[in-house]
Amino acid sequence: MSNVLWGVVCLDHYPASGDLLPGCGILHNAYHLQQLGAAPRLLTRLGEVDAEPVTHFLAAHQIAVVTADLLTPGVCARIEIAVDATGAARVYDFTPGVWAGYRLSAVEEQTLAAAQHLHVVLTAPVIAEFMRLGVRGSFAGALVSVDFLALYDFDEDSFATALRYVDVAFVGWQGAVDDPVLRRLAAAATATETLAIFTLGERGLLLCEPGSPPQLEAVQAVPVTGSTNGCGDAFISYFLAEYWRRRDLAQALDRGKLGGALATTWRYALPDAAYRKGK
């Protein structure tokens, strides 16, 4: 079985504390899936100048990496993260670093084409290559899941187009539950027969299952004792670890909710121990 993860790994900078940590969603997915026994293989790019915190993290947690073209002249991507007094996290000022002008190598394309399960965090640097391979049919042999985040890099039309190559879609919806845009996005998932999960935080989630009308599912609200940073990544990881094994949607949703709730207790996107290991 080949569980491949594809996306931007970056350095998370917390200006309030000065901490600079390995981060971005696909790295958080890799950590959780490794801890959950899914043995993921990560395909990403790092800058040679400042990659050490990330390479140390990967080695410490024994996360398999596609080494071809992993290190590139330049600097890693980077984001700024602010957490307010309620624990709500705000991510801003993404700097692409070595992801500027990103193109896959032949070895990387072969890795993606051979995957049985492929999970992608579809941020701006990755979109063009994802669409190119989708049109080519490179994902035909894989169960493809995509984290669209909060649709920062998509409008309704581009979202619907990308869904043609996606089996499971995750969207962190920040608008109102009764927003007509959400209804249209759900309709796009129905039209492409994509399993789509719109996470709504403590408001629950909107589940769009092929062959069934969209339905709102409740989640148990929990107090945020850490931060909301990483909750979506934990939900997705715990969901996928279960869904890849048995295709049991109800069980996968329960596991995803558990992961999301756990993440509210961490001050960073991962438990403190994840960053300390091997130091």
Side-chain angles (χ1 to χ4, degrees):
M1 180 182 295
S2 174
N3 300 328
V4 177
L5 309 180
W6 177 27
V8 175
V9 168
C10 66
L11 295 172
D12 287 350
H13 180 229
Y14 293 80
S17 64
D19 290 324
L20 189 66
L21 302 173
C24 275
I26 206 71
L27 184 73
H28 306 150
N29 297 145
Y31 170 82
H32 291 306
L33 287 163
Q34 180 72 355
Q35 296 294 308
L36 294 167
R41 191 176 183 207
L42 177 63
L43 192 158
T44 192
R45 291 276 175 88
L46 302 172
E48 291 177 337
V49 172
D50 52 2
E52 194 278 334
V54 180
T55 56
H56 177 89
F57 180 93
L58 295 171
H61 296 290
Q62 300 180 313
I63 296 170
V65 184
V66 179
T67 55
D69 304 291
L70 173 65
L71 294 174
T72 303
V75 297
C76 290
R78 179 166 164 156
I79 57 173
E80 306 293 310
I81 300 177
V83 180
D84 68 20
T86 70
R90 180 172 66 92
V91 177
Y92 61 101
D93 283 355
F94 172 73
T95 304
V98 295
W99 289 85
Y102 174 67
R103 294 292 182 272
L104 288 160
S105 69
V107 171
E108 291 172 322
E109 288 191 28
Q110 291 166 7
T111 299
L112 295 172
Q116 180 179 1
H117 300 131
L118 173 64
H119 179 61
V120 186
V121 178
L122 204 51
T123 51
V126 180
I127 292 172
E129 290 291 78
F130 177 85
M131 296 302 294
R132 180 176 66 84
L133 294 188
V135 170
R136 182 191 290 180
S138 298
F139 307 137
L143 177 82
V144 179
S145 57
V146 167
D147 183 358
F148 287 91
L149 301 175
L151 297 175
Y152 303 121
D153 300 307
F154 290 88
D155 57 20
E156 293 179 45
D157 290 339
S158 59
F159 175 70
T161 300
L163 287 180
R164 298 172 187 171
Y165 314 113
V166 177
D167 299 297
V168 184
F170 301 96
V171 177
W173 179 253
Q174 298 178 342
V177 175
D178 60 354
D179 191 322
V181 174
L182 179 57
R183 290 198 296 272
R184 293 195 294 270
L185 295 172
T190 299
T192 54
E193 298 186 327
T194 305
L195 171 61
I197 302 168
F198 297 84
T199 56
L200 313 171
E202 64 181 12
R203 299 172 296 172
L205 57 86
L206 181 67
L207 176 65
C208 302
E209 186 178 2
S212 301
Q215 61 182 31
L216 193 63
E217 287 213 357
V219 299
Q220 183 176 356
V222 296
V224 178
T225 57
S227 82
T228 60
N229 187 26
C231 290
D233 300 329
F235 173 89
I236 290 170
S237 303
Y238 277 66
F239 177 97
L240 289 177
E242 183 63 33
Y243 195 71
W244 285 347
R245 279 194 289 262
R246 286 187 279 267
R247 299 292 192 276
D248 186 324
L249 179 58
Q251 185 65 27
L253 286 170
D254 285 345
R255 292 292 295 168
K257 293 172 185 177
L258 172 63
L262 284 173
T264 64
T265 67
W266 308 327
R267 60 174 177 158
Y268 299 119
L270 298 173
D272 280 6
Y275 303 108
R276 291 196 298 264
K277 185 170 182 180
K279 287 188 177 180

